[in-house]
Amino acid sequence: MPKTSMPKTSRSKTASRSKTASSAKSTSRRSFRVGRAKTGLGLFATKLIRKGRFIVRYTGRMLPNKIADELDTKYLFEVNARWTVDGSSRKNVARYVNHSCRPNAEADVKKRKILISAIKTIHPGDEITYNYGRDYFNAFIKDHGCRCAACHQKKSVLRSERKRSGKRKSRKRPKS
């Protein structure tokens, strides 16, 4: 029986597929991706984003504030006392940036353009977040409770302190 050997240059199909997928990921222009977060969909870093770097622009139709107040959407970003951007279009990737009480990005308004840039170094896999502001927080988030990572961590620390101190609510059992 003759021995047949595979040429040294050939590889399995799975190895070549995984290499092309990883190389396509590294050549992407964007340094973020949309993914599943604790609060719904979110924007996650795929590359290291240094402090002060531009991340994404919040885009949409410019509407007068009077008309924007009548709309039933959460994706409104007030530019100034007269204008608001309606970012409800799915083309607006910046709409996926979630709220955080301890954010790693901020939104700046420059000449009626909303630019989101990093205020801390954001590592690959980290969720990109900014503080939505007191008005939005009070209108939409406060009633349901903030679910950002900072508040979640604060709540878990408080829970563990209560457990250690023994101040858990005890249920009195009726005597039989």
Side-chain angles (χ1 to χ4, degrees), residues 74-134:
K74 292 181 182 179
Y75 300 107
L76 298 174
F77 197 111
E78 193 171 290
V79 176
N80 55 32
R82 190 171 170 205
W83 295 99
T84 297
V85 172
D86 176 15
S88 58
S89 169
R90 289 192 182 222
K91 290 179 185 178
N92 177 24
V93 180
R95 80 185 209 150
Y96 298 109
V97 178
N98 287 320
H99 163 80
S100 178
C101 295
R102 275 195 246 143
N104 55 16
E106 69 179 355
D108 293 321
V109 179
K110 294 180 181 176
K111 296 183 182 178
R112 291 204 265 173
K113 293 181 182 178
I114 303 159
L115 308 173
I116 298 173
S117 53
I119 57 172
K120 297 177 184 175
T121 298
I122 304 170
H123 299 280
D126 290 350
E127 185 175 5
I128 300 168
T129 59
Y130 69 89
N131 193 335
Y132 286 179
R134 186 172 303 278

